[in-house]
Amino acid sequence: MIGLFWNLLLALAWVGLTGSITAMNLLAGFIFGYIALMVLQKQVPVLKGYSRRIPRLAAFLMYFLKELVKSNLRVAYDIATPVWHMKPGVIAFPLRAETDMEILFVSSVISLTPGTLSLDLSDDRKVLFIHAMFLHDEEQLRNDLRELEHRILKVTR
């Protein structure tokens, strides 16, 4: 998070120095700041690993958008057809996420996806209870959720 803060600060400094407040100029400042922080990360321990996070975040966003479109189409199809294909249920999903930020990110992304909703977290913070609209294959749902969690953890760690 510190690396992102400094990257945004460098992008704003770039915009201020060039005198042009446009989205493209802000993006250029962000890219130049990213390159500068990538060079500095060996000398500044707080920035360690920052250069890998942005590509991982971009890959995660592409994956999430694909999953979001798929789940939207599935829910829309179920609503539009006269026959209901849903089989709702609640599962307990064991978490590999440990910090509050990781757990929040995982549960929020699950809730953002149509057809799934994070319900509760166990007292020991190791199990997330999830309501699924389509629970035909519980093991497949768990595998999909594990993949989602794995990609989120690659971004946050």
Side-chain angles (χ1 to χ4, degrees), residues 62-144:
M62 296 305 293
Y63 170 79
F64 179 66
L65 286 174
K66 179 188 72 139
E67 293 298 316
L68 189 64
V69 168
K70 281 178 22 182
S71 60
N72 271 306
L73 291 173
R74 187 172 186 188
V75 170
Y77 176 78
D78 193 49
I79 291 170
T81 57
V83 179
W84 292 85
H85 299 284
M86 72 172 132
K87 181 185 172 197
V90 176
I91 65 165
F93 178 66
L95 289 171
R96 285 182 283 169
E98 297 169 353
T99 66
D100 289 340
M101 186 187 76
E102 291 171 349
I103 293 170
L104 176 68
F105 199 10
V106 169
S107 64
S108 296
V109 169
I110 288 171
S111 293
L112 281 173
T113 309
T116 55
L117 178 67
S118 300
L119 297 175
D120 197 11
L121 184 64
S122 66
D123 291 337
D124 62 356
R125 299 171 33 162
K126 298 208 182 286
V127 177
L128 183 65
F129 296 97
I130 300 167
H131 177 272
M133 192 172 162
F134 302 100
L135 194 59
H136 300 289
D137 187 1
E138 187 173 332
E139 197 54 40
Q140 180 62 40
L141 177 63
R142 283 183 200 281
N143 290 337
D144 292 344

